[in-house]
Amino acid sequence: MDSPLHGRIRGERSLMAFPLFALSKNAWIKLLTYDHAMVSIEVRPPASGVATIYDKEIVLYIASLMAAKLEAGEASSRISSSPHGLFSVTRSNHSARSYSRL
């Protein structure tokens, strides 16, 4: 496993407080914003739309890899991983269909 992410990320409910994912399978072009106290996050979608709730695990996995690099003091804009690493961390099926869907 190449991610420092531990625990369950599938079905993680605390993320629902932050509107960073579209809740639809269809392309969502709408600007997503989150404002709370001194934190403001804005997600500007490309033409293909923002990440959907179905992409959430992938986004969290990549964010965990980025956080690990920052904590290690590595200033790199390149993240490398494998589908196998993602599937292991998210406890997803390692089937050919999973690789195809990814």
Side-chain angles (χ1 to χ4, degrees), residues 45 86 97 102:
L86 170 68
R97 182 173 182 257
L102 180 62

Side-chain angles (χ1 to χ4, degrees), residues 50-67:
V50 297
T52 69
I53 199 69
Y54 301 100
D55 302 319
K56 176 183 72 170
E57 292 173 348
I58 298 167
V59 172
L60 290 175
Y61 175 69
I62 293 168
S64 74
L65 296 174
M66 291 170 62

Side-chain angles (χ1 to χ4, degrees), residues 15 17 26 28 31 36 39 58 60-61 76 79-81 86 92:
L15 291 170
N26 301 331
W28 191 349
L31 178 71
H36 179 74
V39 175
I58 298 167
L60 290 175
Y61 175 69
S76 174
I79 303 290
S80 62
S81 184
L86 170 68
S92 297

